[in-house]
Amino acid sequence: MRWPLMVGLPGAALLELITASTILPALTYGSTIVLYLAVRGRLGRRKGAFDLGRFELPVAICALVWTLVALFVLVAPREVLVPVVVVAGLLCLGGLYFVAVLTLDRRALETEPGDVDAFTR
């Protein structure tokens, strides 16, 4: 029963929330593509697995360009200044949390979730 929240928010605040929630996935997709392009040479290939062959790099570059165009369309209008600031703030908070974990509990970054044995070593 989420509709009371939508009724309670003013129209501009709801639009800003929707805009911010479309910017974050586009950033996630773009960062995934950039990371893939950075490590694709080191990835192993399995026989019989799906493979784009020689079209792998052009498809990845087209996907990155598409994501950048989508991000530009989302953040170009002046009206989206508040959602962009919200997204930037969330990214800064996430970065600060990552740095804190990196400095205070690096072991948490070196294990996978559910790896109980890693914490008993």
Side-chain angles (χ1 to χ4, degrees), residues 33-117:
I33 296 167
V34 168
L35 287 173
Y36 172 75
L37 287 171
V39 300
R40 74 182 188 88
R42 293 179 276 175
L43 295 175
R45 305 283 182 206
R46 291 186 180 174
K47 188 175 180 176
F50 177 77
D51 187 15
L52 290 174
R54 64 186 174 130
F55 296 108
E56 173 186 17
L57 186 59
V59 167
I61 291 172
C62 287
L64 183 60
V65 169
W66 177 262
T67 304
L68 291 174
V69 168
L71 276 170
F72 177 75
V73 168
L74 288 170
V75 301
R78 290 184 190 261
E79 295 83 16
V80 298
L81 179 62
V82 172
V84 168
V85 170
V86 168
V87 169
L90 288 171
L91 290 175
C92 287
L93 284 173
L96 288 173
Y97 178 75
F98 176 74
V99 168
V101 170
L102 187 65
T103 55
L104 300 174
D105 190 15
R106 186 176 183 94
R107 187 174 52 166
L109 297 175
E110 297 170 351
T111 59
E112 294 184 25
D115 188 8
V116 179
D117 295 332

Side-chain angles (χ1 to χ4, degrees), residues 2-17:
R2 296 179 188 169
W3 65 267
L5 175 64
M6 293 174 60
V7 172
L9 286 175
L14 181 60
L15 183 60
E16 290 171 357
L17 179 65

